[in-house]
Amino acid sequence: RRSFNGNALYTAVFKEYIYSMLNRNTPMEYFIEGGRSRTGLLLPPKKGMLAMTIQSYLRGNSKPIAFIPTYFGYEKLIEGSSYIKELGGQKKQAESLFGLLKSIQKIEKVFGVVHVNLGEPVFLEEILKKNNAPQRVALHEEMPESVKATVNDVAFDILENINKAVVINPISLISLVLLNAPTHALAEREVLVRLEQFRNLLKQHRYDERMQITELSNTEIIQYAMKLKQVELIEHDNERWVKVSDIQVGLLKYFSNNILHTFILPALIAKVLRVETEQQLFEISKSDLYTQVIEQYPLIQKAFFLKWDESEIESEITQIVDYFVAEKLITLEADQSIKISNADPKIRLLSALAHLYDVNVVKEPEKESKEK
């Protein structure tokens, strides 16, 4: 005799529902984060729906399953005010009809473009075979460890492939530049330079072939951000500065975090180099640089769902080092040492990238985990 509590009964019914959907070959849509991210970073996966989908598939009578990771990139948030309240500690507001009606009133305002990009499919059968999972599992049968491993692998593959499909839109890019500057403001000429430098980095070290980068010019990016009222122009020291208004700082953090994973490995390399400069040591051996970065890489790989495994990371470091050489941040010497430029403009770029690492590694992922 089996007794069900409310949650167990709900789960059993929902499994039957998923099973019937799969048998009818009906596409399903769900989000394995299980909720809205307050920071714009990917949340660790909640695997309940995935587990039920995979269990239903293993009951049989289903065609092969492919999960299609989908990246959504926004340029402005309709629920911006509630988002700011959540950052201040309030609980996330539950979705409701009243909330929907309030949102409709805002539709007439300019909210930019919603960017949708499809990631590389994740094929369930391949991962089941890799983990030597059984071909059939009954509904009430205990889930084998091989199937649990499959659920984990599918979840993380989905998140990694969402990151591969990232869209570098104008607002996320200018947000990354300005939020990484003192007082969240820079002279317009410096903003143009930094936008170009970051674009060049993305081209030199392209995160993935599915990644898309805005086609707007650097000047057009500033104008577009002003049109969406995300930034403002001010006069300072007899020249024009681009500034994030105080009320927008928290919101723009969301957009910059959407693309942070594409910059976090260069930021780690810059961090290692900057430590040398802070000690007035403007030289480091190439092997020492690589060793330090490789040792610290597992931390950011897990936190930001980065796609490179240990066998690939050295090649990625080389591409970024080549970019640093092209930007004249460093020079590679014949004896395999790296000399770091002490020219002020170069140090500023190195410091900007290192600052990304300082403020985002450990702090933000830990915060997200606690909020769950």
mmCIF file of all heavy atoms in Angstrom, residues 121-152:
data_model
loop_
_atom_site.group_PDB
_atom_site.id
_atom_site.type_symbol
_atom_site.label_atom_id
_atom_site.label_comp_id
_atom_site.label_asym_id
_atom_site.label_seq_id
_atom_site.Cartn_x
_atom_site.Cartn_y
_atom_site.Cartn_z
ATOM 1 N N PRO A 121 21.707 22.240 -30.017
ATOM 2 C CA PRO A 121 20.818 21.275 -29.351
ATOM 3 C C PRO A 121 21.592 20.301 -28.460
ATOM 4 O O PRO A 121 22.753 19.976 -28.729
ATOM 5 C CB PRO A 121 20.153 20.539 -30.522
ATOM 6 C CG PRO A 121 20.310 21.437 -31.702
ATOM 7 C CD PRO A 121 21.608 22.161 -31.488
ATOM 8 N N VAL A 122 20.926 19.846 -27.414
ATOM 9 C CA VAL A 122 21.475 18.826 -26.520
ATOM 10 C C VAL A 122 20.645 17.562 -26.735
ATOM 11 O O VAL A 122 19.443 17.545 -26.458
ATOM 12 C CB VAL A 122 21.402 19.264 -25.043
ATOM 13 C CG1 VAL A 122 21.908 18.156 -24.126
ATOM 14 C CG2 VAL A 122 22.201 20.547 -24.828
ATOM 15 N N PHE A 123 21.280 16.518 -27.253
ATOM 16 C CA PHE A 123 20.563 15.287 -27.600
ATOM 17 C C PHE A 123 20.620 14.309 -26.436
ATOM 18 O O PHE A 123 21.701 13.886 -26.008
ATOM 19 C CB PHE A 123 21.146 14.663 -28.866
ATOM 20 C CG PHE A 123 20.978 15.529 -30.096
ATOM 21 C CD1 PHE A 123 22.008 16.330 -30.539
ATOM 22 C CD2 PHE A 123 19.761 15.555 -30.770
ATOM 23 C CE1 PHE A 123 21.855 17.141 -31.656
ATOM 24 C CE2 PHE A 123 19.593 16.358 -31.882
ATOM 25 C CZ PHE A 123 20.639 17.159 -32.333
ATOM 26 N N LEU A 124 19.458 13.961 -25.939
ATOM 27 C CA LEU A 124 19.367 13.120 -24.745
ATOM 28 C C LEU A 124 19.986 11.753 -24.952
ATOM 29 O O LEU A 124 20.716 11.258 -24.085
ATOM 30 C CB LEU A 124 17.897 12.984 -24.332
ATOM 31 C CG LEU A 124 17.617 12.052 -23.150
ATOM 32 C CD1 LEU A 124 18.368 12.513 -21.907
ATOM 33 C CD2 LEU A 124 16.116 11.981 -22.876
ATOM 34 N N GLU A 125 19.716 11.115 -26.077
ATOM 35 C CA GLU A 125 20.171 9.743 -26.297
ATOM 36 C C GLU A 125 21.697 9.642 -26.214
ATOM 37 O O GLU A 125 22.235 8.672 -25.658
ATOM 38 C CB GLU A 125 19.685 9.244 -27.665
ATOM 39 C CG GLU A 125 19.891 7.758 -27.896
ATOM 40 C CD GLU A 125 19.124 6.887 -26.897
ATOM 41 O OE1 GLU A 125 18.018 7.287 -26.480
ATOM 42 O OE2 GLU A 125 19.652 5.817 -26.532
ATOM 43 N N GLU A 126 22.405 10.641 -26.716
ATOM 44 C CA GLU A 126 23.872 10.616 -26.687
ATOM 45 C C GLU A 126 24.393 10.614 -25.247
ATOM 46 O O GLU A 126 25.355 9.918 -24.923
ATOM 47 C CB GLU A 126 24.430 11.834 -27.432
ATOM 48 C CG GLU A 126 24.166 11.821 -28.928
ATOM 49 C CD GLU A 126 24.695 13.066 -29.617
ATOM 50 O OE1 GLU A 126 25.312 13.919 -28.922
ATOM 51 O OE2 GLU A 126 24.504 13.192 -30.837
ATOM 52 N N ILE A 127 23.751 11.403 -24.391
ATOM 53 C CA ILE A 127 24.220 11.510 -23.000
ATOM 54 C C ILE A 127 23.839 10.267 -22.207
ATOM 55 O O ILE A 127 24.590 9.811 -21.349
ATOM 56 C CB ILE A 127 23.664 12.796 -22.356
ATOM 57 C CG1 ILE A 127 24.147 14.006 -23.146
ATOM 58 C CG2 ILE A 127 24.093 12.903 -20.892
ATOM 59 C CD1 ILE A 127 23.617 15.326 -22.659
ATOM 60 N N LEU A 128 22.683 9.679 -22.501
ATOM 61 C CA LEU A 128 22.301 8.421 -21.857
ATOM 62 C C LEU A 128 23.320 7.323 -22.179
ATOM 63 O O LEU A 128 23.738 6.566 -21.299
ATOM 64 C CB LEU A 128 20.902 7.999 -22.320
ATOM 65 C CG LEU A 128 19.718 8.790 -21.753
ATOM 66 C CD1 LEU A 128 18.440 8.451 -22.513
ATOM 67 C CD2 LEU A 128 19.519 8.509 -20.261
ATOM 68 N N LYS A 129 23.749 7.263 -23.433
ATOM 69 C CA LYS A 129 24.717 6.254 -23.842
ATOM 70 C C LYS A 129 26.069 6.508 -23.185
ATOM 71 O O LYS A 129 26.749 5.573 -22.738
ATOM 72 C CB LYS A 129 24.863 6.245 -25.364
ATOM 73 C CG LYS A 129 23.658 5.669 -26.096
ATOM 74 C CD LYS A 129 23.866 5.697 -27.605
ATOM 75 C CE LYS A 129 22.655 5.101 -28.321
ATOM 76 N NZ LYS A 129 22.807 5.167 -29.814
ATOM 77 N N LYS A 130 26.455 7.776 -23.099
ATOM 78 C CA LYS A 130 27.736 8.118 -22.486
ATOM 79 C C LYS A 130 27.778 7.657 -21.032
ATOM 80 O O LYS A 130 28.819 7.204 -20.541
ATOM 81 C CB LYS A 130 27.963 9.628 -22.563
ATOM 82 C CG LYS A 130 29.299 10.094 -21.988
ATOM 83 C CD LYS A 130 29.372 11.601 -21.871
ATOM 84 C CE LYS A 130 28.517 12.101 -20.713
ATOM 85 N NZ LYS A 130 28.697 13.558 -20.453
ATOM 86 N N ASN A 131 26.649 7.755 -20.342
ATOM 87 C CA ASN A 131 26.586 7.364 -18.929
ATOM 88 C C ASN A 131 26.153 5.915 -18.723
ATOM 89 O O ASN A 131 25.930 5.492 -17.577
ATOM 90 C CB ASN A 131 25.617 8.296 -18.194
ATOM 91 C CG ASN A 131 26.171 9.698 -18.036
ATOM 92 O OD1 ASN A 131 27.336 9.886 -17.710
ATOM 93 N ND2 ASN A 131 25.344 10.708 -18.288
ATOM 94 N N ASN A 132 26.036 5.155 -19.808
ATOM 95 C CA ASN A 132 25.628 3.744 -19.731
ATOM 96 C C ASN A 132 24.309 3.583 -18.971
ATOM 97 O O ASN A 132 24.148 2.675 -18.141
ATOM 98 C CB ASN A 132 26.723 2.900 -19.064
ATOM 99 C CG ASN A 132 28.001 2.875 -19.878
ATOM 100 O OD1 ASN A 132 27.971 2.686 -21.095
ATOM 101 N ND2 ASN A 132 29.134 3.057 -19.215
ATOM 102 N N ALA A 133 23.372 4.464 -19.268
ATOM 103 C CA ALA A 133 22.069 4.416 -18.612
ATOM 104 C C ALA A 133 21.213 3.306 -19.222
ATOM 105 O O ALA A 133 21.369 2.968 -20.398
ATOM 106 C CB ALA A 133 21.357 5.756 -18.757
ATOM 107 N N PRO A 134 20.297 2.731 -18.442
ATOM 108 C CA PRO A 134 19.416 1.694 -18.987
ATOM 109 C C PRO A 134 18.470 2.273 -20.039
ATOM 110 O O PRO A 134 18.183 3.470 -20.041
ATOM 111 C CB PRO A 134 18.642 1.210 -17.755
ATOM 112 C CG PRO A 134 18.701 2.345 -16.798
ATOM 113 C CD PRO A 134 20.025 3.008 -17.025
ATOM 114 N N GLN A 135 17.989 1.407 -20.916
ATOM 115 C CA GLN A 135 17.083 1.864 -21.967
ATOM 116 C C GLN A 135 15.656 2.040 -21.465
ATOM 117 O O GLN A 135 14.867 2.759 -22.081
ATOM 118 C CB GLN A 135 17.092 0.868 -23.133
ATOM 119 C CG GLN A 135 18.442 0.806 -23.839
ATOM 120 C CD GLN A 135 18.411 -0.132 -25.030
ATOM 121 O OE1 GLN A 135 17.474 -0.927 -25.202
ATOM 122 N NE2 GLN A 135 19.435 -0.050 -25.879
ATOM 123 N N ARG A 136 15.325 1.414 -20.349
ATOM 124 C CA ARG A 136 13.968 1.520 -19.812
ATOM 125 C C ARG A 136 14.034 1.665 -18.291
ATOM 126 O O ARG A 136 14.827 1.015 -17.617
ATOM 127 C CB ARG A 136 13.121 0.271 -20.146
ATOM 128 C CG ARG A 136 12.818 0.091 -21.630
ATOM 129 C CD ARG A 136 11.789 1.105 -22.106
ATOM 130 N NE ARG A 136 11.437 0.888 -23.502
ATOM 131 C CZ ARG A 136 12.083 1.425 -24.537
ATOM 132 N NH1 ARG A 136 13.144 2.200 -24.307
ATOM 133 N NH2 ARG A 136 11.700 1.181 -25.765
ATOM 134 N N VAL A 137 13.184 2.536 -17.759
ATOM 135 C CA VAL A 137 13.018 2.704 -16.312
ATOM 136 C C VAL A 137 11.531 2.900 -16.052
ATOM 137 O O VAL A 137 10.906 3.792 -16.635
ATOM 138 C CB VAL A 137 13.817 3.914 -15.769
ATOM 139 C CG1 VAL A 137 13.541 4.098 -14.274
ATOM 140 C CG2 VAL A 137 15.309 3.726 -16.005
ATOM 141 N N ALA A 138 10.966 2.078 -15.158
ATOM 142 C CA ALA A 138 9.536 2.186 -14.859
ATOM 143 C C ALA A 138 9.249 3.470 -14.070
ATOM 144 O O ALA A 138 10.135 4.052 -13.444
ATOM 145 C CB ALA A 138 9.078 0.968 -14.060
ATOM 146 N N LEU A 139 7.986 3.894 -14.080
ATOM 147 C CA LEU A 139 7.581 5.156 -13.467
ATOM 148 C C LEU A 139 7.981 5.246 -11.992
ATOM 149 O O LEU A 139 8.532 6.243 -11.547
ATOM 150 C CB LEU A 139 6.070 5.352 -13.612
ATOM 151 C CG LEU A 139 5.483 6.569 -12.883
ATOM 152 C CD1 LEU A 139 6.081 7.855 -13.430
ATOM 153 C CD2 LEU A 139 3.955 6.577 -13.010
ATOM 154 N N HIS A 140 7.694 4.215 -11.226
ATOM 155 C CA HIS A 140 7.938 4.249 -9.784
ATOM 156 C C HIS A 140 9.248 3.571 -9.397
ATOM 157 O O HIS A 140 9.516 3.375 -8.216
ATOM 158 C CB HIS A 140 6.771 3.598 -9.039
ATOM 159 C CG HIS A 140 5.458 4.268 -9.308
ATOM 160 N ND1 HIS A 140 5.258 5.604 -9.067
ATOM 161 C CD2 HIS A 140 4.299 3.790 -9.824
ATOM 162 C CE1 HIS A 140 4.013 5.933 -9.391
ATOM 163 N NE2 HIS A 140 3.410 4.841 -9.858
ATOM 164 N N GLU A 141 10.047 3.225 -10.394
ATOM 165 C CA GLU A 141 11.337 2.596 -10.112
ATOM 166 C C GLU A 141 12.336 3.652 -9.631
ATOM 167 O O GLU A 141 12.307 4.808 -10.072
ATOM 168 C CB GLU A 141 11.857 1.934 -11.390
ATOM 169 C CG GLU A 141 13.127 1.115 -11.211
ATOM 170 C CD GLU A 141 13.545 0.455 -12.518
ATOM 171 O OE1 GLU A 141 12.670 0.280 -13.395
ATOM 172 O OE2 GLU A 141 14.745 0.126 -12.648
ATOM 173 N N GLU A 142 13.205 3.278 -8.722
ATOM 174 C CA GLU A 142 14.241 4.187 -8.228
ATOM 175 C C GLU A 142 15.146 4.611 -9.386
ATOM 176 O O GLU A 142 15.575 3.786 -10.188
ATOM 177 C CB GLU A 142 15.074 3.489 -7.148
ATOM 178 C CG GLU A 142 16.162 4.346 -6.535
ATOM 179 C CD GLU A 142 15.606 5.462 -5.667
ATOM 180 O OE1 GLU A 142 14.456 5.334 -5.183
ATOM 181 O OE2 GLU A 142 16.338 6.451 -5.463
ATOM 182 N N MET A 143 15.433 5.895 -9.457
ATOM 183 C CA MET A 143 16.254 6.390 -10.563
ATOM 184 C C MET A 143 17.699 5.925 -10.408
ATOM 185 O O MET A 143 18.349 6.235 -9.409
ATOM 186 C CB MET A 143 16.209 7.920 -10.622
ATOM 187 C CG MET A 143 16.890 8.492 -11.875
ATOM 188 S SD MET A 143 17.008 10.316 -11.859
ATOM 189 C CE MET A 143 15.264 10.744 -11.931
ATOM 190 N N PRO A 144 18.240 5.180 -11.374
ATOM 191 C CA PRO A 144 19.622 4.705 -11.284
ATOM 192 C C PRO A 144 20.608 5.877 -11.281
ATOM 193 O O PRO A 144 20.304 6.964 -11.780
ATOM 194 C CB PRO A 144 19.792 3.858 -12.553
ATOM 195 C CG PRO A 144 18.398 3.544 -12.998
ATOM 196 C CD PRO A 144 17.560 4.696 -12.577
ATOM 197 N N GLU A 145 21.798 5.623 -10.726
ATOM 198 C CA GLU A 145 22.815 6.672 -10.671
ATOM 199 C C GLU A 145 23.197 7.159 -12.059
ATOM 200 O O GLU A 145 23.499 8.343 -12.253
ATOM 201 C CB GLU A 145 24.062 6.157 -9.939
ATOM 202 C CG GLU A 145 23.863 5.957 -8.440
ATOM 203 C CD GLU A 145 23.467 7.248 -7.736
ATOM 204 O OE1 GLU A 145 24.065 8.306 -8.070
ATOM 205 O OE2 GLU A 145 22.577 7.204 -6.870
ATOM 206 N N SER A 146 23.184 6.254 -13.035
ATOM 207 C CA SER A 146 23.536 6.645 -14.413
ATOM 208 C C SER A 146 22.524 7.634 -14.984
ATOM 209 O O SER A 146 22.881 8.520 -15.764
ATOM 210 C CB SER A 146 23.626 5.409 -15.306
ATOM 211 O OG SER A 146 22.393 4.697 -15.297
ATOM 212 N N VAL A 147 21.256 7.501 -14.584
ATOM 213 C CA VAL A 147 20.225 8.430 -15.049
ATOM 214 C C VAL A 147 20.366 9.765 -14.316
ATOM 215 O O VAL A 147 20.197 10.840 -14.911
ATOM 216 C CB VAL A 147 18.816 7.838 -14.853
ATOM 217 C CG1 VAL A 147 17.740 8.849 -15.277
ATOM 218 C CG2 VAL A 147 18.661 6.554 -15.662
ATOM 219 N N LYS A 148 20.686 9.712 -13.022
ATOM 220 C CA LYS A 148 20.921 10.953 -12.275
ATOM 221 C C LYS A 148 22.086 11.729 -12.895
ATOM 222 O O LYS A 148 22.039 12.965 -13.012
ATOM 223 C CB LYS A 148 21.219 10.640 -10.809
ATOM 224 C CG LYS A 148 20.041 10.079 -10.033
ATOM 225 C CD LYS A 148 20.426 9.780 -8.588
ATOM 226 C CE LYS A 148 19.256 9.186 -7.815
ATOM 227 N NZ LYS A 148 19.635 8.840 -6.414
ATOM 228 N N ALA A 149 23.135 10.993 -13.286
ATOM 229 C CA ALA A 149 24.281 11.643 -13.928
ATOM 230 C C ALA A 149 23.866 12.273 -15.250
ATOM 231 O O ALA A 149 24.337 13.358 -15.617
ATOM 232 C CB ALA A 149 25.400 10.631 -14.151
ATOM 233 N N THR A 150 22.959 11.601 -15.948
ATOM 234 C CA THR A 150 22.462 12.135 -17.220
ATOM 235 C C THR A 150 21.690 13.432 -17.010
ATOM 236 O O THR A 150 21.852 14.393 -17.762
ATOM 237 C CB THR A 150 21.560 11.097 -17.919
ATOM 238 O OG1 THR A 150 22.337 9.934 -18.230
ATOM 239 C CG2 THR A 150 20.960 11.669 -19.197
ATOM 240 N N VAL A 151 20.857 13.480 -15.965
ATOM 241 C CA VAL A 151 20.107 14.701 -15.651
ATOM 242 C C VAL A 151 21.079 15.855 -15.405
ATOM 243 O O VAL A 151 20.899 16.963 -15.923
ATOM 244 C CB VAL A 151 19.196 14.488 -14.423
ATOM 245 C CG1 VAL A 151 18.557 15.808 -13.996
ATOM 246 C CG2 VAL A 151 18.109 13.458 -14.740
ATOM 247 N N ASN A 152 22.124 15.599 -14.615
ATOM 248 C CA ASN A 152 23.123 16.638 -14.332
ATOM 249 C C ASN A 152 23.830 17.109 -15.599
ATOM 250 O O ASN A 152 24.007 18.303 -15.827
ATOM 251 C CB ASN A 152 24.163 16.125 -13.334
ATOM 252 C CG ASN A 152 23.598 15.954 -11.934
ATOM 253 O OD1 ASN A 152 22.668 16.652 -11.549
ATOM 254 N ND2 ASN A 152 24.155 15.033 -11.177
#
